[in-house]
Amino acid sequence: MARSRSPKQKNGPVQPVTVEEDVKASHVLRESYAPPLQSNFRVSAVLRFQRKDGSEGTIEAVNAEPHDANIRGAICAERAAMCTFQKTEAQNGAKITRVVCATDCKDPIYPGPLCREFLTSTCSPQAEIVATGADGKWVSQPLRNLLTLPSLYRGRSQKDATTLAADLAQKVTAPEEESLATAYKEALTLAKEQKGQTVVYPLVFAAAVRFEDGEVAVASELKGIEYGCTVDAVSLLIPAMQRKRGQSMPLVVVQVDNFGLAHAPFAAARSLLIEHGFGEVAIAAHGEDGKWLAAMKVKESLPHADFLSIF
């Protein structure tokens, strides 16, 4: 992964690097390597950061895919760049100011749901996210505009997240709306039963979907000792939703942890729900004060992601 450094000027302020310069660098990078073997689709990322002394630097990375049919093992360019940033810069106090994502698509495509979630957990909500297409045109949004209802535990260590969960557990209440209340109760009960999974991580999640005919389906996440192997609870609900397609509409999905806090589906589940025809389903979550936030449709929780509706 390429890195660059722009030292702090002693005489006068540092001239900011323009978006156009970083966009150009992202396309030079994109065009410099062979497309991955499975998707044949290149994605490059240029991550710009600022150190405590005012100097800036960039980290460049590209997407990579396994050389077999297990496409789940693909690695996004943005997260690949973040790995290097966390290793070399974050521990010294550097902050990400801009992320540029370039792809082979003619039109700009913002980072996918997984990368939005990862960036949200580590970057300032004001970080500039730039998407640029193969023709060089670009658009931008602050990070906060790309992922609605982010995790309550974003930016926290395991210890701090657990402490927050315990504190908020004293404030949360069950929802008043009947369909949501039923789903919340079922998910919470299942989450609290998953004591064995706390060996892997102390926060465990379960989810429930309430259907129009009154049926409720529930699932608990499957944690993996290798964290990346974990399958989230909402994704495990999707087969039940597919089986009832055409019979009874899913009304609401809620994900709850073992402390009683409700969370929006994680990024992978949001993406799958939208891609497989469940973007209109309602989701609900607690806010940072422990109170219920207004419910919204799944598709509303991933703004600027029209490319997800492919089926």
Side-chain angles (χ1 to χ4, degrees):
M1 297 182 188
R3 301 178 61 211
S4 68
R5 179 182 178 92
S6 55
K8 184 177 180 180
Q9 296 179 6
K10 295 183 179 180
N11 300 318
V14 175
Q15 294 300 314
V17 176
T18 66
V19 174
E20 286 78 10
E21 290 177 89
D22 284 341
V23 165
K24 181 178 179 180
S26 71
H27 285 296
V28 170
L29 175 62
R30 177 181 61 84
E31 295 170 355
S32 69
Y33 75 106
L37 294 179
Q38 310 307 324
S39 68
N40 198 40
F41 188 77
R42 295 173 297 185
V43 181
S44 62
V46 174
L47 186 157
R48 178 166 293 281
F49 57 88
Q50 186 176 66
R51 303 181 182 89
K52 284 185 174 182
D53 65 1
S55 65
E56 291 189 343
T58 59
I59 293 173
E60 298 180 347
V62 300
N63 63 323
E65 297 168 357
H67 295 182
D68 59 30
N70 179 21
I71 59 175
R72 182 183 178 185
I75 301 171
C76 301
E78 301 93 323
R79 286 185 289 158
M82 284 296 302
C83 290
T84 299
F85 173 77
Q86 290 187 345
K87 172 180 178 290
T88 61
E89 299 291 344
Q91 60 189 347
N92 297 318
K95 302 295 183 183
I96 294 169
T97 57
R98 178 187 299 153
V99 178
V100 179
C101 175
T103 77
D104 284 338
C105 182
K106 177 179 177 295
D107 298 318
I109 299 176
Y110 282 107
L114 290 175
C115 288
R116 297 182 188 198
E117 187 172 65
F118 198 102
L119 291 169
T120 298
S121 72
T122 53
C123 302
S124 163
Q126 288 75 43
E128 182 181 21
I129 309 301
V130 180
T132 177
D135 63 0
K137 295 179 181 178
W138 59 270
V139 293
S140 70
Q141 289 284 340
L143 178 58
R144 64 175 178 272
N145 288 355
L146 297 181
L147 187 71
T148 309
L149 299 178
S151 171
L152 292 172
Y153 305 133
R154 62 191 182 279
R156 291 179 168 85
S157 66
Q158 178 185 132
K159 179 181 178 180
D160 290 344
T162 306
T163 299
L164 176 62
D167 290 343
L168 289 179
Q170 309 304 314
K171 303 176 183 179
V172 299
T173 59
E176 295 181 359
E177 197 278 323
E178 188 269 337
S179 294
L180 178 57
T182 301
Y184 173 80
K185 180 180 178 181
E186 295 285 346
L188 175 57
T189 298
L190 185 58
K192 288 186 173 182
E193 293 174 353
Q194 306 306 306
K195 295 181 175 62
Q197 298 206 67
T198 60
V199 174
V200 180
Y201 194 83
L203 295 167
V204 295
F205 299 84
V209 53
R210 169 72 182 268
F211 292 95
E212 198 172 37
D213 63 6
E215 181 180 338
V216 176
V218 296
S220 62
E221 69 175 337
L222 296 177
K223 287 191 184 298
I225 294 175
E226 183 179 355
Y227 283 3
C229 294
T230 297
V231 183
D232 72 274
V234 177
S235 292
L236 290 169
L237 282 179
I238 294 177
M241 298 168 71
Q242 290 177 314
R243 284 192 293 271
K244 290 182 71 70
R245 196 191 297 272
Q247 302 173 25
S248 183
M249 292 289 295
L251 297 177
V252 63
V253 169
V254 62
Q255 177 176 232
V256 185
D257 66 33
N258 50 327
F259 286 85
L261 296 169
H263 305 260
F266 298 138
R270 298 189 200 193
S271 183
L272 289 172
L273 287 168
I274 295 171
E275 291 184 46
H276 293 276
F278 299 108
E280 297 290 330
V281 177
I283 56 175
H286 283 120
E288 295 181 356
D289 58 0
K291 296 181 180 179
W292 284 94
L293 301 172
M296 66 173 60
K297 297 177 181 179
V298 179
K299 67 180 183 181
E300 294 172 341
S301 71
L302 282 177
H304 308 288
D306 294 340
F307 59 90
L308 290 177
S309 300
I310 61 175
F311 292 113

